[in-house]
Amino acid sequence: MKIAVAIDGSENALRAATHAITLAKHFPEAHLEFIYVADYDKAKDERLLSQNEESLLLKRRQKVEPVLELAQTAGLQAKMTLLKGNPSQEIIKYVNAQAMDQLIMGSRGLNTFQEMMLGSVSHKVMKHVDCPVTIVK
Amino acid sequence: MHTIKQQWFGNVRADLLAGVVVGLALIPEALAFAFIVGVDPRVALYASFAIAVITSFVGGRPGLISAATGAMALILVNLMADHGLQYVLAATVLTGIIQFILGGLGVANLMRFIPNSVMLGFVNALGIMIFITQLPYLRGHDAMTYVFAIATLVLVYAVPRFFTAIPAPLIAIVVMTGIALISGVSLQTIGDLGKMPNSLPTFFLPDIPLNLETLKIIFPYSLALSIVGLLESLLTSQVLDDMTDTPSDKNREARGQGIANFFTGFFGGMAGCALIGQSMINIKSGGRGRLSTFTAGVFLMFLIIVLGDVVVKIPMPVLAGVMIMVAMTTFNWGSFKFLKQAPKTESIVMLITVAIILYTHNLAIGVVVGVILSSLFFVANISRVTVTSDSGIYKVKGPLFFASTTKFIQSFQAVKEKEIIIDFEDSQLWDESSVGAVAKVKQKLEEEGVAVSIRGLNSSSEQLYEKLL
């Protein structure tokens, strides 16, 4: 059983991770894998808001670290995969290519207007991923 | 580093496609930048063609898109107004020479000294200035002008939600120009302001007197262009390095920018540099190799020669609408959060950089002042030295160097003990003045009859101390 969790450093992603960990605990043979996508559209702004490449890496690290800690405290082995590109496209590509059995992700909790402007990552992913998807609210 | 063959032909299909997309995306901005400087669209279009094609061969960052840019255009405004096109071209050639020399001297290594507060100030001021340059095309015209500008803006923001293969600005321009032509409304068009080129650029020497007087006129502009061009190009290279997870040779990029500007001046083009927006479009569209940049330049020229007669019909408010989007994207909206979260000194540096650029209309001056200011703040910050005394043991905390020695010496003005130890465990001696200060304190106290011993110097401080005393 391969469980993938898409995270983005938000509260919702943390909840999704907690849910995934609970699930993984019940499947002794489960492989837990966290996926973080550095968004191409934010590449310029992220670079400008960090002092240099090293602090940029640190900032990304800080986004995934809490989730890894959660897994560790739960006594689970978890893999961390960092991808770059368009978040929904990269998640879909990766989850399908790795033949994941289950994808878990948080919802950003956007309102209708924001969703229209920004587009919902979870919605897009849900439509194109081959495995069952759990959206954690 | 990839081999030359890989850099050119390692990604042919995607590079060709991305190059076409970028070529399309380059046109509206090149036109707008020409109008900012007050030159014929030809000057910016030739520049975009020449710079893209030349940097595709000699640049240090495969996939980077360089062409005519807003930052460079804004510097050239005054030179064009005061002295005319031939001086703009001569300044472009000189910019190329300066950038090539700076690249040879390893200028890219200095990028680390430019704090992100200055870079933020730079892009924010750039965004604001691009926005301001578009206002004359809107104000003082009829209501229809505003309608077209706003409709264009709505399109450029809405289209990417449904369709991303073709850059939204281009779709907006085609749609809005079509509406304008069909409905027959009268709007100011590109054709009203300038002529489109119908031939490839040719090589000629800028028609200027070759004397010291000319150099005096163009040198300040060329220096500013060199700084701004390198800054934006190296920043863009860093962003692409991060996006593609591949390294690049920044000094080679600096020399490449120089070579490109040098020849562009002779081909009747204005100075340019890397474009962050178009470079990101290139990467997002799958472009990775040198072929993508080359294709972008060639396709741009092809389109202009074939479609020149159509391009002149684009209404100015439509172009202005696209440029307002460019200005909004250039501006870093995360800066407001930055102002709240960053240390006060960094916020001040950013705000002052913006203020100076907006006041002087010169991006280079803002950057230079910003860097100096932030270095001073850094020195002031790090020069905090404290000395705490506890029963004859004086503990020094913080680095000792030229900026912090005064405070150090003052701390030993009222020593009551007959015998003291100065503990340097949490400190470091950095320079001559720090050793001098320690010696001075020691001598003065000993004259007053206080026995002074020193301990806790780390090995490099010890070495410096021994060497200088």
Side-chain angles (χ1 to χ4, degrees), chain A residues 37-41 43 83-86 89-90 93, chain B residues 1-22 55-57 59-65 236-237 239-249 253 278-296:
Chain A
V37 185
D39 191 346
Y40 267 176
D41 283 332
L83 302 169
K84 285 179 180 177
N86 175 297
Q89 279 172 18
E90 291 303 316
K93 242 192 333 200
Chain B
M1 280 291 139
H2 290 283
T3 63
I4 298 215
K5 198 179 160 195
Q6 266 176 316
Q7 286 185 351
W8 274 98
F9 304 112
N11 187 33
V12 175
R13 214 179 78 93
D15 276 354
L16 286 174
L17 279 172
V20 167
V21 173
V22 174
T55 53
S56 73
F57 287 97
R61 168 73 252 177
L64 188 79
I65 305 293
T236 311
S237 302
V239 172
L240 293 206
D241 288 357
D242 174 44
M243 288 174 87
T244 59
D245 280 324
T246 51
S248 64
D249 184 343
E253 184 56 50
Q278 272 70 3
S279 299
M280 285 173 72
I281 292 176
N282 189 31
I283 301 300
K284 282 199 275 182
S285 312
R288 290 291 182 280
R290 295 181 177 275
L291 188 61
S292 62
T293 311
F294 180 83
T295 309

Side-chain angles (χ1 to χ4, degrees), chain A residues 47-134:
Chain A
R47 179 64 193 81
L48 281 167
L49 290 169
S50 340
Q51 187 54 57
N52 50 34
E53 297 103 282
E54 292 78 28
S55 69
L56 180 62
L57 284 180
L58 179 69
K59 276 186 188 161
R60 289 201 185 125
R61 188 82 215 160
Q62 284 165 345
K63 284 192 177 146
V64 302
E65 202 59 42
V67 170
L68 287 174
E69 256 167 48
L70 274 181
Q72 213 176 18
T73 0
L76 288 171
Q77 283 278 334
K79 195 179 154 195
M80 180 71 231
T81 301
L82 287 170
L83 302 169
K84 285 179 180 177
N86 175 297
S88 37
Q89 279 172 18
E90 291 303 316
I91 294 170
I92 294 162
K93 242 192 333 200
Y94 188 77
V95 168
N96 288 346
Q98 301 290 313
M100 295 288 178
D101 297 302
Q102 165 78 44
L103 171 68
I104 298 172
M105 58 194 300
S107 102
R108 271 193 292 181
L110 304 175
N111 62 35
T112 319
F113 177 72
Q114 286 170 318
E115 202 152 293
M116 199 175 78
M117 293 305 291
L118 302 167
S120 157
V121 174
S122 50
H123 191 79
K124 251 182 253 161
V125 169
M126 214 159 52
K127 272 207 298 200
H128 299 287
V129 156
D130 299 333
C131 67
V133 181
T134 308

Side-chain angles (χ1 to χ4, degrees), chain B residues 114-184:
Chain B
I114 302 179
N116 69 321
S117 47
V118 174
M119 294 304 300
L120 279 172
F122 175 85
V123 296
N124 290 341
L126 179 60
I128 296 170
M129 283 173 77
I130 292 178
F131 178 77
I132 293 171
T133 56
Q134 299 309 306
L135 296 180
Y137 305 116
L138 304 177
R139 278 196 305 221
H141 297 271
D142 57 357
M144 212 29 115
T145 300
Y146 285 97
V147 172
F148 269 75
I150 291 166
T152 307
L153 257 179
V154 171
L155 275 181
V156 288
Y157 279 105
V159 165
R161 291 264 39 82
F162 309 103
F163 188 67
T164 49
I166 299 173
L170 216 84
I171 297 175
I173 287 178
V174 170
V175 170
M176 295 310 295
T177 305
I179 294 176
L181 289 178
I182 292 164
S183 66

